Amino acid sequence: MVTSRRHDVMKESQDQEHDEGQDHGPAAPQTSPASRRRNASRRAVPRAADAVALTVRLDLQESDETDAFLLELRREAGLRRLDKAEAVRELLRLAREHEPARKALIRRLR
């Protein structure tokens, strides 16, 4: 995957690929009550060993546009980190759970 390094977008999915053989302990970061409420609807990121990989190929221009968009989303959502995989997971969940988003996706795919 080609990504632009000039944007402050989390590279967690790449880190997970390199850490597949390592055991990650149950250490959970301390979060404030406000951030726990804000993130309550988001699912935990699956560990690399428990996940099914999904590859999305982007050309260089689309990659740069995606990085800029993710940076904008991260700022607007008040998140410290956001990676492409998390955004794609949440978009797919949104399309499954929200009928207007599902219909809009179907229109784009046609």
Side-chain angles (χ1 to χ4, degrees):
M1 177 188 301
V2 176
T3 59
S4 171
R5 299 292 180 219
R6 68 181 177 269
H7 299 293
D8 183 21
V9 178
M10 185 177 121
K11 299 181 299 180
E12 181 179 357
S13 62
Q14 292 173 348
D15 294 341
Q16 286 178 350
E17 290 174 8
H18 296 294
D19 294 342
E20 282 182 342
Q22 297 178 3
D23 182 30
H24 299 288
Q30 295 294 326
T31 57
S32 69
S35 65
R36 281 193 297 271
R37 281 190 302 273
R38 182 178 63 225
N39 296 331
S41 67
R42 291 170 50 197
R43 290 186 183 167
V45 176
R47 292 178 41 159
D50 300 329
V52 176
L54 171 69
T55 301
V56 178
R57 297 189 188 277
L58 305 171
D59 62 31
L60 291 175
Q61 179 181 352
E62 200 171 26
S63 178
D64 288 344
E65 292 167 357
T66 300
D67 286 343
F69 181 65
L70 287 173
L71 181 62
E72 181 182 323
L73 285 177
R74 181 180 64 85
R75 287 179 180 154
E76 289 181 20
L79 301 172
R80 276 190 45 215
R81 304 169 88 171
L82 176 65
D83 76 354
K84 291 177 185 89
E86 184 174 7
V88 169
R89 270 193 309 277
E90 291 303 321
L91 282 169
L92 291 172
R93 279 186 68 205
L94 177 65
R96 286 194 312 267
E97 298 169 0
H98 188 253
E99 190 63 23
R102 181 180 181 275
K103 288 180 179 180
L105 178 59
I106 290 170
R107 283 192 303 272
R108 292 291 299 255
L109 292 172
R110 287 185 175 162

